[in-house]
Amino acid sequence: MLDKFRSSGTLSHQRSSHPTLLGTRFAASPFLSTEDRLALERVALPARSVAAGKDLLRESERAAHIEVLIDGWACRYKMTRDGHRQIVALLTPGEAANLDALLFTRLHYAVRTLTPTKVLTLPCQSASKKDPLSACKRDPLRRAA
């Protein structure tokens, strides 16, 4: 059925060869101005493909960047005492895998891909220790949180 729509050209959502933040929650945020969105686009690293079943982020890892899913599904999970994974969130295209990296220095969960995934990476800037709110005021990523 999907092949029929592809051949007819009636798919409403076309994938870009150069994925951007368009279609993500950052692009739809009412807290970001057009200039903020453009600034995020400029600092975004090129999108990369990640195979299914791979960890994007590991628990207790330093949070130096934000991963935004462009295509595919992933999950946040925590390891239980008996070594099993407990899924705490499902992530769909357009969602940030670790937006709380803006607030915490280490992750309290891991993120694993469930399907082949395309991910866009946004570097975080650490907040000033003297005035943590000053970085939030200047940094569009922190305002989007």
Side-chain angles (χ1 to χ4, degrees), residues 18-139:
H18 302 288
T20 65
L21 293 174
L22 187 64
T24 66
R25 292 180 186 220
F26 287 108
S29 173
F31 302 105
L32 295 176
S33 67
T34 303
E35 293 81 25
D36 292 338
R37 287 183 187 89
L38 291 173
L40 288 175
E41 290 283 345
R42 281 193 299 273
V43 299
L45 301 176
R48 69 183 198 282
S49 296
V50 181
K54 301 290 182 187
D55 280 342
L56 283 176
L57 304 162
R58 294 196 171 103
E59 199 167 350
S60 300
E61 188 177 73
R62 280 198 159 285
H65 57 278
I66 294 176
E67 301 287 357
V68 179
L69 273 66
I70 301 298
D71 197 15
W73 285 52
C75 68
R76 280 190 204 115
Y77 69 91
K78 294 183 76 89
M79 294 301 290
T80 62
R81 290 184 192 141
D82 58 357
H84 291 93
R85 289 185 191 102
Q86 179 179 1
I87 294 176
V88 294
L90 287 174
L91 304 169
T92 58
E95 292 190 80
N98 59 324
L99 193 56
D100 57 347
L102 296 170
L103 303 173
F104 304 109
T105 56
R106 298 210 179 262
L107 297 175
H108 300 288
Y109 52 83
V111 176
R112 177 172 278 240
T113 59
L114 299 173
T115 65
T117 305
K118 193 165 283 197
V119 179
L120 199 64
T121 302
L122 299 170
C124 292
Q125 295 179 10
S126 59
S128 164
K129 289 183 181 180
K130 291 181 182 176
D131 182 14
L133 292 178
S134 67
C136 295
K137 292 172 189 168
R138 289 188 315 270
D139 189 352

